Amino acid sequence: MKSIRNKLAIAACTVLSQGAQQANATEIDTSYLFYSEADDRVTVNKIITKTKTPLGDNDVISLEAVYDTVTGATPTGAVKSVSTVSVTTPSSGGSGFKTAAGTPDLVEFNDTRVGIDVGWVHRHSRTFKMNYGASVSLESDYESYGGSLIFDKETSNRNLTFSAGIAGAYDTISQRSGQTPKPMGDVQENSGNPEFFGKGNKRSYEALLGISSITNRRTVTQLNYTISSTEGYMTDPYKLISMTDSGGVEEKRYYESRPENRLQQTLYSALVHQLKNKNTIHLSYRFYLDDWDITSHTFDYKHRIKFTKNYYLEPHIRLYTQTAADIFQSSLDNNQPLPEYASADYRLDEINSVTLGTKFGMPAWGGTLRFRLEYLYQSFAEAEFNTNKAVIFQASYKKEFN
């Protein structure tokens, strides 16, 4: 589900940077993004095109299309083996391969995703508008269909905007074969033919309350609260977890298992302030918690330095910290009965990460050309891969047509 909190955050940034004005020209914004992790892990190539067109004085329609390819290798969740292991987990488009003794499992994969997001903003009065949205995202092993509705009500002087929104999504998940393994199923049971089921599905519901304030002619603030509930199949059908002896030597492998319900809450705050020298600071903080015992804090800071009216440099730093989920285990103890839920997915481990980078903007061909380069470093407390490093590059071009 494309979160409505993300949409509101983007909308707030637009208000903060451009002022609360109705779009009066068709706008096209297209970009290419490259994401590459170290050690031949995940590589993403993504093309995004967004268009926004006004229809009269009260309506704006938007369309966003995304096409991306994901290739490389990702950890299965299994621990380092003392001998060479043939990775037989059906990966997303990969064929499996052998992992050398003493190295954690990485399974190859490749996939392609196509996504469409359509929006319609209708202003019912000078101070009240509604945002309608619908989205679809398709991969070989994952499909998602969603919709959203957001109300924005401004005060008579338009210094305050109150927002409320709801969203829903329906997703289907499987391995590329169209099947899902039995949760906590032994990978080698029935002579290597474990039990499989049909596609899994999950339903997500989200609600949001928010307020944006134009504090003065240089400062805008925003505060959002979001609550979401998800029910259904949330297990990663590709992930494994090892059972080990007291010395940490692997004895068996099982498919992971996750609960079928999750309640998530987020508090997001943002501030944009234009300094007297015309430079602009963007500061945000996000607090997240859920009933899987994950709590996270995200600090994000951007400082836009204007060289001239149309040339700027924008250094960026993002700090993120996360506690581990209560279902996270780096491995299973062979002296304990199998738990109902367990996952060795590094994304559910305790995480600390930092992102550093900068963006450069300049005029070109009647529009704006932007380049973004960032470096991501993540550390994990107990996962077999205890670090992850990535480089992110994005080139974007935006132009308005009157």
Side-chain angles (χ1 to χ4, degrees), residues 8-242:
L8 278 189
I10 294 170
C13 290
T14 301
V15 170
L16 297 170
S17 60
Q18 298 180 359
Q21 59 185 13
Q22 186 80 4
N24 54 18
T26 296
E27 178 184 290
I28 296 179
D29 192 347
T30 186
S31 68
Y32 163 74
L33 183 143
F34 173 76
Y35 170 91
S36 179
E37 296 181 351
D39 303 321
D40 297 324
R41 288 175 57 179
V42 177
T43 296
V44 179
N45 289 278
K46 176 181 292 190
I47 297 174
I48 309 169
T49 299
K50 305 175 187 176
T51 63
K52 189 164 57 176
T53 303
L55 297 176
D57 295 331
N58 297 314
D59 296 278
V60 177
I61 59 172
S62 61
L63 174 67
E64 177 179 326
V66 178
Y67 174 84
D68 60 38
T69 61
V70 186
T71 60
T74 186
T76 64
V79 301
K80 297 175 182 175
S81 175
V82 296
S83 59
T84 299
V85 173
S86 295
V87 179
T88 56
T89 301
S91 57
S92 184
S95 56
F97 62 101
K98 291 183 177 180
T99 298
T103 60
D105 272 3
L106 281 172
V107 63
E108 294 176 335
F109 71 101
N110 64 76
D111 209 342
T112 300
R113 182 176 74 95
V114 177
I116 300 290
D117 189 344
V118 180
W120 172 35
V121 179
H122 177 67
R123 184 174 290 279
H124 290 268
S125 69
R126 190 180 72 88
T127 60
F128 179 67
K129 64 181 180 182
M130 296 180 66
N131 303 262
Y132 307 87
S135 63
V136 58
S137 178
L138 302 175
E139 301 172 54
S140 61
D141 51 10
Y142 197 104
E143 296 179 2
S144 179
Y145 306 88
S148 63
L149 178 63
I150 302 172
F151 305 84
D152 287 328
K153 174 62 178 174
E154 298 171 313
T155 56
S156 57
N157 61 8
R158 307 184 77 171
N159 284 341
L160 286 176
T161 301
F162 300 94
S163 301
I166 55 174
Y170 177 80
D171 302 345
T172 60
I173 310 101
S174 69
Q175 292 186 351
R176 204 160 189 173
S177 63
Q179 297 179 308
T180 55
K182 182 178 73 174
M184 297 310 301
D186 185 342
V187 172
Q188 294 302 322
E189 71 177 356
N190 298 325
S191 301
N193 294 296
E195 186 176 4
F196 276 77
F197 304 110
K199 291 183 177 180
N201 61 75
K202 65 179 180 182
R203 296 155 298 283
S204 303
Y205 312 95
E206 187 172 274
L208 177 144
L209 293 174
I211 181 171
S212 299
S213 171
I214 301 176
T215 307
N216 55 53
R217 57 191 296 269
R218 295 180 180 275
T219 308
V220 179
T221 58
Q222 181 189 25
L223 182 66
N224 290 340
Y225 168 74
T226 307
I227 184 169
S228 65
S229 174
T230 305
E231 58 183 34
Y233 186 84
M234 282 180 274
T235 295
D236 188 323
Y238 297 113
K239 293 298 184 185
L240 305 175
I241 185 167
S242 300

Side-chain angles (χ1 to χ4, degrees), residues 272-290:
V272 175
H273 178 70
Q274 186 181 58
L275 304 173
K276 291 183 178 179
N277 59 6
K278 303 298 183 183
N279 293 339
T280 306
I281 60 173
H282 296 244
L283 178 65
S284 68
Y285 166 71
R286 176 178 176 269
F287 173 71
Y288 167 90
L289 78 162
D290 64 29

Side-chain angles (χ1 to χ4, degrees), residues 281-383:
I281 60 173
H282 296 244
L283 178 65
S284 68
Y285 166 71
R286 176 178 176 269
F287 173 71
Y288 167 90
L289 78 162
D290 64 29
D291 57 0
W292 290 7
D293 273 356
I294 291 180
T295 300
S296 72
H297 304 269
T298 307
F299 300 90
D300 195 282
Y301 180 75
K302 299 174 184 173
H303 191 119
R304 178 169 295 193
I305 303 168
K306 296 191 70 171
F307 299 119
T308 66
K309 182 179 179 180
N310 297 314
Y311 286 83
Y312 66 87
L313 188 69
E314 189 175 88
H316 172 220
I317 181 170
R318 180 179 184 271
L319 304 175
Y320 177 80
T321 182
Q322 168 188 307
T323 60
D326 55 6
I327 62 170
F328 177 81
Q329 292 181 238
S330 57
S331 62
L332 301 172
D333 189 337
N334 66 350
N335 289 317
Q336 299 294 325
L338 281 179
E340 182 177 8
Y341 305 117
S343 172
D345 188 338
Y346 65 99
R347 294 168 295 186
L348 299 177
D349 192 5
E350 180 181 328
I351 303 173
N352 290 292
S353 76
V354 58
T355 304
L356 289 171
T358 191
K359 182 165 70 176
F360 174 72
M362 59 178 289
W365 307 294
T368 305
L369 189 61
R370 294 106 68 200
F371 299 97
R372 177 167 69 99
L373 182 63
E374 294 184 324
Y375 176 77
L376 167 69
Y377 177 84
Q378 296 174 306
S379 63
F380 307 91
E382 297 184 23

